[in-house]
Amino acid sequence: ILYFSGTGNSKYVAQRMAEALNQSLLSMNDCIRSHDTSPVETDERLVIVTPPSMAHPRLVRDWLLETEFPGAAQVWFIMTCGSEIGHASRYNRSLCQTKGLTDMGTAQIIMP
């Protein structure tokens, strides 16, 4: 499970998911901060948790485009928001198409 979090909401959701699914976490914040775009080994299924900000914050979108995910085939997006995610699912589909991955859908989680 990859996550990017500015306020802690997405990190919280990603941590809860990782515990429930017995999966590991990778902070995109740390990778972006250190300019680390080395390949991220994953299994076939990849979950990305972010706030929407026009689908993804620009830093996140750029990192996702520059980073390879060997083994990944399917991607689920979880987007934390205050009220709605707008057209984020359209942007997510486009990102997946560019990366050659199958978009499995986008879910929104409204945070307090």
Side-chain angles (χ1 to χ4, degrees), residues 1 26 41 43 45 48 53 63 74 78 84 93 98 100 105:
I1 298 174
L26 176 67
E41 293 291 332
D43 61 15
R45 300 178 196 135
I48 298 174
S53 184
W63 184 83
Q74 302 169 324
I78 309 298
E84 63 178 281
R93 280 191 302 275
T98 300

Side-chain angles (χ1 to χ4, degrees), residues 10-83:
S10 293
K11 180 179 181 179
Y12 173 78
V13 169
Q15 287 174 327
R16 296 286 307 266
M17 290 178 65
E19 291 168 9
L21 299 171
N22 196 30
Q23 294 291 316
S24 60
L25 283 173
L26 176 67
S27 168
M28 288 186 279
N29 299 61
D30 295 341
C31 295
I32 292 166
R33 198 170 306 136
S34 65
H35 304 286
D36 181 2
T37 57
S38 58
V40 175
E41 293 291 332
T42 67
D43 61 15
E44 190 173 290
R45 300 178 196 135
L46 179 61
V47 176
I48 298 174
V49 182
T50 68
S53 184
M54 292 294 291
H56 299 286
R58 182 176 298 186
L59 292 170
V60 173
R61 185 199 66 217
D62 292 349
W63 184 83
L64 289 168
L65 288 171
E66 294 172 15
T67 303
E68 296 298 320
F69 302 96
Q74 302 169 324
V75 182
W76 285 262
F77 294 92
I78 309 298
M79 307 198 95
T80 58
C81 62
S83 62

